[in-house]
């Protein structure tokens, strides 16, 4: 209902604004185009009237603008990130301008509760603007900066439509709490609450609305956000309004996605050959006469369309931007589909001379049809000699492994056999609807009696509702034993934000100094409601014992914050910054509720010293040093310090007198639970050469997390659950980051830009127990079989046996090394082997421009990361000739290993998953103004997931967490796009 109201009011406002401009936009308009030195369009460049800041405009995708000016306006100022501001007099109704590139370190970047010039930064901060975003078929915001920022890893959760990503900044800082960064959109911090029916919180945003993304990596930059900043902060800035009559921009893309490669299984011919040479007549008789490529049956080419329309302008003194998106994306796995509709409204009214107001409203509606992902695994194991359909089958007409009684003719389904993968897709329905609305209003008031002091108020909200149904008919084999499925899921979330802060900026010319001070208060409330429905059969009957039992159906937590920051600059060369935030969270007991998070940083502009100022080659050289403490309370439930009893659903009761009562089970809890805290040290160097044509940074960092929120085992015999969440353990991350941007060639017709970043991170657990215990092996994690958290090793290190090989290099089944040399092979031989996390992360981008043509590409690489090939563990002969009366296919490498039984804890399955990927390559043509200069036109073509170079034998080496269990494969996508401005 909320989304519907927002959409209706936005459309009504759009009509009013558009019609009003027919009246107000007839006189006093100045139009033109903003380009760089080579004539390339600069979208989102800002045009402002000199001495009249309320009059402004923003260029469209073709660099064009229209601004309504009054008679007293004589000059316009043009600005764009990375270019020198240019002021020109108004000489007519047309005014074109070419901006000159400037030193990169003079860029203005967003920081917490304000902005700052890049050359004045004291923390490790990286900004990616719209012109440098990844291009092509981009459906989620996180994809925009993949490979663009040193120290930031973005790993897709698979190739399904709208799939989210795992974002890690300088490695993970926690074991059981969240490792996700804090996301802030236009000053509104998102709660991170899970929304049923959506992949993640960024999947409901329109990437076309984003102007820039800034990453705060160290504590000096992030500590102003205190308790939620241990994993870094991502600040997202959306596009804003302009001035004058409406300027429309329409973009449309059409994409075709294709499966890159199949999982290598035995073909029907190879399978028959194997059965005929290894099996007796009983198994041979089970073979069919078909030749079915099951992966080909479930995967197909998929089409995606994405259309965006936006309008910018100004209604008198109120700049506005209205945008809308319609995305329809089909997955390469049949029956998988996503449809997203978004609308955005940005208003910036100037009602008083000293008051600025910014209003941001966003609404989205997501319709999702999920395919049954288990069909991918079934396609690997299902017998390729069997047909897809069987007209006599009682299971919807699909072939399934079943037996028929010779006397009665009754058909009995084989309980443990793989299910027909096509049936698993076509007889499965999981449809969800997700509605979300978020936004905020910000007031910036310059006090008349003290104009250097600004009072700021930020009021925001983020509400959502996700609901869906899973339906499987009673005759479908996948749920035959439960007589089908008719399940419902639903949840609601609400996030409220109230912030008030004062900002004081003053030039102290007498002592050649500048002071920038901020002090504020914040209130953040997060509420959700989970509708825990029981499971139903297709006929509506409740499946016994299926109702989930949770102690809280409406969890809620509140955070109160006080914060302050001061930045002092002396002689524009020496900058000292300090911040302090004090947070109180309802997730902890009153005596442990409050945490204090300080930071201090210093920047020395070495390049401006007299001994370097005369250098012609050196343009910038800044030294940064910082220390800070951040906290973490995300990722744990809302009442971890309180005693909780879970009431049974009725299957467990006790008798008191003549009445039966439901049982209550106590949960383990730690009343003294408190914050995780991460102390971070950073030393950085920003550099620039040849008037900024070469620039970049080097950073060295060390992070130490203490009071880890760790799940530890409870001694047997207690009346509680087997594990307890408590503060125990420490973990270190240390690393180096290097980034360089360069323009090797730049002339009138041709330019070449190159960007490269590389980062090294070493993660190690240094403590896990409250007391020293050399015999404690650690805590099993991941899938609970092959990964462990142990002291002295990386988090989630693989915990496996050391496979032995014969003289030809072939693995010997069931033979492992006696690691402790005691003559017995048992669990004591398990050892820690490699880490799933990369040691080195690389990113490379390049852009070549010749006149109106632009070619760009993005490559990424990881080295030092290992992956457990869980798919190959099923490549054993015992799975093919199953004594339970069915045949099953396996991966083709079974013909090499000849393993008969599964050896899942062998390090044979842990492989080096280092890789080099070309993420994207694209070509665009800027046709300029067409149709008598009425419309601007840009045409582009892109290919994503171009190639992958790796020694990993599975489908994709890039899987977060280190376990490959047949994820949804990422497709190769070809995209054609068009952009019109009018």
């Amino acid at each position: 209902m909320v989304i519907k109201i927002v959409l209706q009011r936005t459309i009504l406002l759009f009509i009013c604004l558009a019609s009003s401009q027919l009246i107000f936009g007839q006189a006093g308009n100045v139009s033109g185009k903003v380009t760089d030195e080579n004539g390339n369009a600069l979208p989102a460049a800002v045009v402002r009237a000199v001495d009249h800041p309320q009059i402004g405009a923003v260029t469209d995708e073709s660099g064009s603008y229209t601004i309504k000016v009054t008679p007293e306006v004589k000059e316009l100022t043009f600005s764009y990130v990375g270019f020198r501001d240019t002021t020109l007099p108004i000489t007519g109704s047309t005014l074109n301008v070419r901006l000159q590139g400037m030193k990169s370190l003079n860029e203005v970047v967003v920081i917490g509760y304000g902005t700052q010039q890049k050359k004045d930064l004291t923390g490790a901060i990286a900004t990616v603007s719209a012109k440098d975003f990844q291009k092509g078929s981009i459906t989620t915001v996180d994809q925009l900066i993949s490979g663009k920022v040193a120290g930031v890893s973005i790993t897709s959760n698979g190739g399904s439509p709208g799939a989210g990503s795992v974002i890690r900044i300088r490695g993970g800082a926690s074991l059981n709490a969240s490792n996700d960064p804090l996301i802030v959109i236009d000053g509104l911090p998102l709660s991170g609450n899970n929304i049923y029916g959506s992949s993640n919180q960024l999947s409901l945003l329109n990437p076309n609305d984003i102007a820039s993304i800034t990453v705060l990596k160290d504590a000096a930059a992030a500590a102003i956000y205190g308790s939620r900043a241990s994993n870094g902060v991502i600040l997202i800035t959306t596009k804003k309004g302009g001035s004058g009559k409406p300027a429309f921009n329409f973009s449309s893309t059409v994409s075709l996605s294709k499966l890159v490669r199949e999982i290598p299984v035995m073909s029907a011919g190879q399978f028959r050959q194997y059965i005929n040479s290894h099996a007796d007549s009983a198994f041979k008789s089970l073979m069919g006469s078909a030749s079915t490529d099951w992966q080909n049956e479930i995967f197909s080419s998929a089409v995606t369309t994405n259309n965006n329309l936006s309008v910018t302008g100004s209604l008198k003194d109120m700049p506005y931007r209205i945008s809308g998106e319609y995305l329809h994306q089909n997955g390469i796995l049949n029956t998988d589909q996503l449809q997203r509709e978004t609308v955005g409204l940005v208003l910036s009214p100037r009602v008083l001379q000293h008051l600025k107001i910014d209003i941001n409203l966003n609404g989205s509606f997501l319709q999702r049809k999920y395919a049954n992902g288990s069909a991918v695994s079934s396609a690997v194991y299902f017998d390729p000699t069997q047909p897809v359909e069987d007209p006599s089958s009682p299971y919807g007409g699909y072939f399934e492994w079943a037996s028929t009684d010779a006397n009665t003719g009754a058909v009995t389904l084989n309980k443990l056999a793989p299910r027909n993968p096509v049936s698993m897709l076509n007889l499965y329905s999981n449809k969800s609807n997700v509605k979300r609305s978020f936004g905020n209003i910000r007031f910036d008031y310059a006090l008349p009696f003290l104009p250097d002091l600004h009072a700021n108020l930020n009021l925001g909200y983020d509400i959502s509702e996700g609901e869906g149904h899973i339906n499987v008919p009673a005759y479908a084999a996948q749920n035959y034993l439960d007589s089908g499925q008719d399940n419902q899921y639903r949840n609601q979330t609400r996030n409220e934000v109230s912030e008030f802060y004062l900002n004081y900026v003053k030039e102290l010319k007498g002592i050649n100094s500048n002071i920038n001070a901020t002090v504020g208060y914040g209130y953040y409330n997060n509420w959700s409601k989970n509708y825990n429905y029981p499971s139903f059969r297709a006929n509506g009957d409740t499946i016994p014992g299926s109702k989930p039992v949770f102690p809280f159906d409406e969890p809620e937590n509140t955070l109160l914050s006080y914060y302050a920051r001061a930045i002092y600059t002396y002689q524009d060369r020496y900058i000292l910054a300090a911040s302090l935030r004090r947070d109180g969270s309802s997730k902890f007991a009153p005596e442990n509720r409050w945490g204090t998070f300080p930071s201090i940083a210093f920047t020395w502009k070495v390049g401006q010293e007299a001994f370097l100022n005369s250098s012609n080659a050196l343009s910038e050289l800044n030294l940064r040093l910082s220390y800070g403490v951040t906290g973490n309370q995300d990722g744990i439930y809302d009442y971890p310090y309180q005693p909780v009893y879970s009431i049974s659903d009725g299957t467990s009761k006790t008798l008191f007198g003549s009445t039966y009562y439901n049982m209550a089970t106590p949960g383990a809890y730690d009343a003294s639970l408190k914050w995780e805290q991460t102390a971070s040290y950073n030393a950085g160097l920003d550099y620039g050469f040849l008037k900024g044509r070469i620039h970049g940074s080097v950073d060295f960092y060390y992070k130490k997390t203490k009071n880890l929120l760790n799940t530890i085992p409870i001694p047997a015999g207690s009346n509680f659950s087997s594990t307890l969440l408590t503060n125990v353990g420490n973990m270190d991350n240390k690393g180096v980051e290097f980034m360089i941007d360069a323009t090797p060639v730049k002339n009138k017709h041709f330019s070449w830009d190159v960007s490269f970043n590389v980062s090294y991170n070493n993660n190690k657990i240094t403590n896990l127990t409250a007391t020293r215990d050399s015999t404690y092996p650690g805590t099993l994690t991941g899938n609970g079989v092959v990964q462990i958290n142990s002291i002295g090793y990386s988090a989630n290190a693989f915990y496996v046996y050391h496979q032995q090989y014969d003289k030809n290099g072939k693995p010997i089944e069931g033979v492992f090394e006696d690691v402790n040399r005691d003559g017995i092979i048992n669990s004591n031989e398990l050892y820690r082997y490699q880490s799933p996390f990369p040691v080195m992360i690389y990113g490379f981008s390049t852009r070549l421009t010749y006149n109106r043509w632009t070619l760009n590409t993005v490559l990424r690489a990881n080295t030092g990361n290992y992956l457990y090939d869980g798919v190959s563990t099923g490549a054993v002969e015992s799975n093919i000739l199953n004594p339970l009366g069915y045949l099953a296919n396996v991966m083709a490498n079974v013909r090499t290993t000849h393993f008969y039984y599964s050896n899942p804890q062998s390090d044979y399955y842990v492989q080096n998953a280092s890789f080099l990927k070309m993420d994207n390559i694209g070509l665009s043509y800027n046709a300029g103004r067409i149709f008598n200069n009425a419309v601007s036109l840009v045409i582009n073509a892109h290919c994503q997931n171009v190639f992958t170079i790796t020694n990993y034998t599975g489908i994709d080496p890039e899987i977060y967490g280190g376990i490959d269990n047949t994820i949804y494969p990422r497709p190769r996508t070809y995209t054609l796009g068009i952009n019109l401005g009018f």
Side-chain angles (χ1 to χ4, degrees):
M1 178 61 71
V2 174
I3 302 296
K4 183 177 180 180
I5 293 174
V6 171
L7 287 170
Q8 290 175 342
R9 293 182 178 178
T10 301
I11 293 171
L12 179 61
L13 181 59
F14 174 85
I15 295 172
C16 293
L17 290 172
S19 60
S20 66
Q21 293 305 312
L22 298 176
I23 300 174
F24 292 104
Q26 299 301 316
N29 290 334
V30 177
S31 301
K33 187 171 183 178
V34 181
T35 62
D36 62 13
E37 304 99 312
N38 302 316
N40 300 310
L42 295 178
V46 178
V47 184
R48 290 290 184 192
V50 175
D51 298 327
H52 299 275
Q54 75 277 11
I55 301 177
V58 177
T59 60
D60 60 21
E61 295 292 335
S62 66
S64 302
Y65 74 93
T66 299
I67 184 170
K68 179 188 175 185
V69 297
T70 54
E72 60 269 20
V73 176
K74 306 299 182 183
E75 295 179 313
L76 296 179
T77 295
F78 302 84
S79 59
Y80 190 79
V81 174
F83 291 79
R84 293 187 179 91
D85 291 355
T86 299
T87 300
L88 296 175
I90 298 175
T91 57
S93 60
T94 301
L95 186 59
N96 298 319
V97 61
R98 287 194 173 191
L99 299 183
Q100 300 296 313
M102 69 176 184
K103 301 173 184 178
S104 172
L105 297 179
N106 286 339
E107 297 176 11
V108 175
V109 299
V110 178
I111 61 175
Y113 306 101
T115 60
Q116 196 174 11
Q117 280 194 321
K118 189 174 181 180
K119 65 184 179 65
D120 296 332
L121 293 177
T122 55
I125 298 176
T127 296
V128 182
S129 58
K131 67 183 180 68
D132 295 317
F133 285 161
Q134 287 242 31
K135 311 296 183 183
S137 181
I138 304 296
T139 57
T140 58
V141 171
D142 40 79
Q143 296 174 327
L144 294 172
I145 61 171
S146 180
K148 297 286 186 176
V149 181
V152 178
S153 169
I154 299 177
T155 306
S156 171
N157 289 326
S160 62
S165 299
V166 177
I167 306 174
R168 293 293 178 261
I169 300 175
R170 292 185 168 181
S174 181
L175 294 180
N176 286 281
S178 174
N179 280 301
D180 297 330
L182 173 67
I183 308 292
V184 181
I185 302 178
D186 291 326
L188 175 67
L190 302 183
S191 66
N193 287 336
N194 179 39
I195 305 173
Y196 291 179
S198 67
S199 56
N200 69 354
Q201 58 181 334
L202 295 180
S203 66
L204 293 162
L205 304 182
N206 180 7
N208 197 61
D209 285 340
I210 309 304
S212 67
I213 297 177
T214 298
V215 182
L216 312 183
K217 296 189 282 188
D218 71 337
I224 192 68
Y225 288 103
S227 64
R228 294 174 294 172
S230 280
N231 302 302
V233 182
I234 295 179
L235 306 178
I236 299 176
T237 303
T238 59
K239 297 175 182 177
K240 306 305 178 186
S243 68
K245 64 180 182 181
F248 294 85
N249 183 265
F250 174 76
S251 64
S252 180
T253 62
V254 178
S255 304
L256 178 67
S257 298
K258 304 184 70 175
L259 181 68
V260 178
R261 57 175 292 207
E262 294 184 355
I263 297 174
V265 299
M266 288 195 290
S267 66
Q270 292 169 336
F271 188 79
R272 284 191 176 93
Q273 182 181 15
Y274 181 91
I275 298 297
N276 288 327
S277 60
H278 289 78
D280 57 26
S281 58
F283 282 109
K284 293 178 182 178
S285 65
L286 295 176
M287 285 194 296
S289 59
S291 294
T292 305
D293 183 341
W294 289 105
Q295 293 180 73
N296 186 62
E297 293 292 335
I298 66 170
F299 291 113
S300 61
S301 298
V303 175
T304 296
T305 58
N306 192 0
N307 297 285
N308 283 271
L309 177 65
S310 65
V311 56
T312 58
S314 178
L315 180 60
K316 293 186 177 180
D317 293 331
M318 185 178 69
Y320 64 84
R321 181 179 187 271
I322 303 173
S323 63
E325 175 206 36
Y326 176 77
L327 168 70
H328 185 91
Q329 184 177 15
N330 292 308
I332 59 172
L333 183 61
N334 295 338
T335 74
D336 206 12
Q337 190 179 96
L338 175 148
Q339 180 175 302
R340 184 177 68 200
E341 301 165 15
T342 67
V343 62
L345 172 65
V346 179
L347 301 174
S348 302
R350 300 294 181 259
V351 294
L352 298 172
Q353 181 179 359
H354 299 285
L355 177 63
K356 294 191 299 182
I357 303 175
D358 289 296
I359 302 171
N360 300 276
L361 296 174
N362 296 271
S364 56
F365 178 59
L366 182 74
Q367 290 180 295
R368 188 73 167 87
K369 183 178 180 181
Y370 288 94
N372 188 344
S374 298
V376 179
S377 178
S378 287
V380 172
Y381 293 110
F382 211 83
D383 179 358
T385 69
Q386 304 300 337
V388 174
E389 298 178 349
D390 178 4
S392 64
S393 170
Y395 309 109
Y398 292 95
F399 173 85
E400 297 287 356
W401 285 107
S403 59
T404 303
D405 189 286
N407 297 320
T408 64
V411 178
T412 303
L413 182 70
N414 193 313
K415 298 179 181 180
L416 299 179
R419 299 291 178 249
N420 186 315
V422 178
S423 169
M424 295 182 73
L425 295 177
N426 294 341
L427 299 183
Y428 175 88
S429 174
N430 181 357
K431 296 180 180 180
S432 68
N433 295 314
V434 181
K435 294 174 285 187
R436 185 183 191 184
S437 176
F438 69 91
N440 61 332
I441 179 170
R442 292 185 290 181
F443 301 89
D444 183 343
Y445 183 67
L447 278 65
F449 57 88
L450 189 60
D452 297 318
L453 180 63
H454 286 242
N456 294 268
L457 177 64
N458 179 27
L459 302 174
Y461 74 96
D462 183 2
I463 57 177
S464 64
E465 179 179 1
E467 61 178 356
H469 274 87
I470 301 176
N471 292 285
V472 179
Y475 55 79
Q478 57 192 289
N479 278 95
Y480 192 78
L481 299 180
D482 285 329
S483 299
Q485 188 178 4
D486 183 11
N487 294 343
Q488 182 181 2
Y489 53 88
R490 181 186 177 195
N491 82 328
Q492 296 173 321
T493 70
R494 183 179 68 240
N495 174 26
E496 299 168 356
V497 174
S498 300
E499 294 180 323
F500 178 79
Y501 61 95
L502 298 173
N503 179 244
Y504 180 74
V505 180
K506 182 68 176 179
E507 291 283 346
L508 306 175
K509 296 183 179 179
I511 57 174
N512 197 12
S513 299
N514 174 278
I515 187 169
N516 185 331
T518 300
V519 60
Y521 165 81
Y523 168 85
Y524 315 89
N525 183 261
N526 301 298
W527 170 90
S528 62
K529 182 175 182 179
N530 305 312
Y531 295 81
N532 298 308
Y533 299 110
S535 297
F536 295 93
R537 295 190 170 99
N539 63 3
D541 293 342
T542 302
I543 299 176
S546 66
K547 179 175 173 55
V549 180
F550 295 99
F552 305 105
D553 289 341
E554 296 188 39
E556 184 174 8
N557 69 81
T558 300
L559 183 73
L560 300 180
S561 302
Y562 302 90
Y563 50 90
R565 179 179 60 207
I567 304 173
Y568 175 72
T569 304
Y570 178 64
Q571 292 186 345
D572 197 32
R573 295 201 302 273
Y574 312 103
I575 304 171
L576 182 65
S579 70
L580 180 69
R581 181 157 179 146
R582 185 152 174 83
D583 285 337
S585 172
S586 64
K587 290 187 177 183
F588 304 107
E591 58 271 20
N592 297 315
R593 183 155 292 168
W594 290 92
T596 302
F597 308 99
S599 76
I600 187 167
F602 173 73
T603 293
W604 176 23
K605 298 182 183 179
V606 186
Q608 294 188 17
E609 297 291 351
F611 61 87
L612 286 177
N613 203 24
S614 60
S615 172
N616 293 325
L618 183 69
S619 53
E620 296 286 348
L621 186 63
N622 292 353
L623 173 66
R624 294 177 282 104
L625 301 172
S626 68
Y627 166 80
V629 178
T630 51
N632 195 359
Q633 51 113 27
D634 289 333
I636 60 174
Y637 77 103
D638 294 320
Y639 315 100
Y641 73 92
Q642 301 182 35
V644 174
Y645 289 82
S646 299
I647 306 300
S648 71
D649 63 352
T651 57
S652 298
K653 294 191 175 187
T654 185
L655 179 65
F656 283 94
S658 59
T659 305
Y660 284 92
Y661 295 91
N662 290 341
M663 300 287 288
T665 304
Y669 70 97
D670 181 359
S672 61
L673 204 67
K674 56 186 177 182
W675 302 89
E676 283 186 352
Q677 290 195 353
T678 299
S680 176
Y681 303 81
N682 195 94
L685 190 70
D686 300 318
Y687 62 86
F689 299 96
L690 304 177
K691 297 182 179 181
R693 286 186 62 172
I694 300 175
H695 61 270
S697 62
V698 182
D699 281 274
F700 300 84
Y701 65 87
Y702 172 70
K703 298 195 304 181
K704 184 177 184 65
T705 304
K706 64 178 183 178
N707 296 324
L708 279 171
L709 291 166
N710 188 25
T711 301
I712 61 174
I714 294 178
S718 70
N719 194 34
F720 298 106
S721 56
S722 58
T723 59
L724 171 69
L725 178 68
T726 187
N727 294 102
V728 58
N730 301 330
M731 182 165 61
D732 295 348
N733 280 278
K734 55 185 176 182
V736 183
E737 297 169 352
F738 173 77
M739 186 276 291
I740 183 170
D741 291 333
T743 305
V745 180
K746 192 170 191 178
N747 56 46
K748 183 178 180 180
H749 298 287
F750 180 74
S751 66
W752 179 25
D753 298 312
V754 177
S755 179
F756 174 74
N757 66 79
V758 58
S759 57
Y760 161 84
N761 184 76
N762 179 268
N763 171 272
K764 182 182 290 186
I765 299 170
T766 57
N767 184 32
L768 274 179
T769 55
T771 59
R772 292 291 179 182
D773 184 359
S774 59
T775 64
Y776 179 58
T779 305
L780 291 175
T781 183
N783 63 0
V785 177
V786 295
Q787 287 183 302
I788 194 170
N789 289 328
S790 296
I791 297 174
Y793 298 89
S794 163
N796 288 9
F798 295 105
Y799 195 47
V800 287
Y801 293 105
H802 187 26
Q803 179 70 52
Q804 298 299 287
Y805 299 81
D806 62 20
K807 62 181 180 179
N808 297 318
K810 177 183 174 182
I812 306 172
E813 181 173 0
V815 179
F816 306 109
E817 181 182 355
D818 183 6
V819 176
N820 59 10
R821 301 295 187 265
D822 63 357
I824 303 173
I825 304 297
N826 55 24
S827 60
N828 293 327
E829 269 57 65
L830 291 168
Y831 77 111
R832 288 90 179 161
Y833 176 59
Q834 302 297 348
S835 168
F837 306 117
V839 176
M840 306 285 288
I841 301 175
Y842 306 82
F844 175 80
S845 304
T846 186
R847 178 172 56 232
L848 295 95
T849 301
Y850 178 73
N851 291 334
R852 296 179 180 271
W853 294 90
T854 300
L855 176 69
N856 59 74
T857 188
V858 178
L859 292 95
R860 295 184 299 109
N862 285 3
T863 58
N865 53 302
Y866 282 71
L867 194 58
Y868 176 79
D869 186 2
V871 182
S872 289
T873 59
V876 294
E877 294 183 351
S878 60
N879 280 348
I880 302 174
L881 306 175
N882 198 293
L884 296 178
Y886 65 87
L887 300 175
N889 201 358
V890 296
M891 291 182 65
N893 61 357
V894 72
R895 298 186 299 163
T896 302
T897 63
H898 293 291
F899 281 176
Y900 191 80
Y901 293 111
S902 179
N903 302 273
Q905 287 187 280
S906 170
D907 63 5
Y908 171 78
Y909 298 107
V910 180
Q911 301 182 33
N912 189 325
S914 300
F915 66 84
L916 169 65
K917 286 190 173 188
M918 178 177 279
D919 257 3
N920 196 327
I921 185 169
L923 180 67
S924 64
Y925 177 73
N926 187 343
R929 307 291 295 188
I930 58 176
F931 301 128
N932 295 323
N933 289 328
V935 179
S936 62
L937 171 65
V938 178
I939 303 171
N940 55 73
H942 291 269
C943 179
Q944 292 165 267
N945 194 15
V946 184
F947 65 76
T948 301
I949 300 174
T950 182
N951 288 328
Y952 180 64
T953 59
I955 291 296
D956 195 325
E958 191 178 19
I959 299 175
Y960 184 81
I963 305 294
D964 182 358
N965 280 330
T966 319
I967 66 164
Y968 198 132
R970 299 179 183 90
R972 179 168 296 138
T973 302
Y974 304 90
T975 302
L976 289 175
I978 187 173
N979 189 286
L980 299 172
F982 49 93

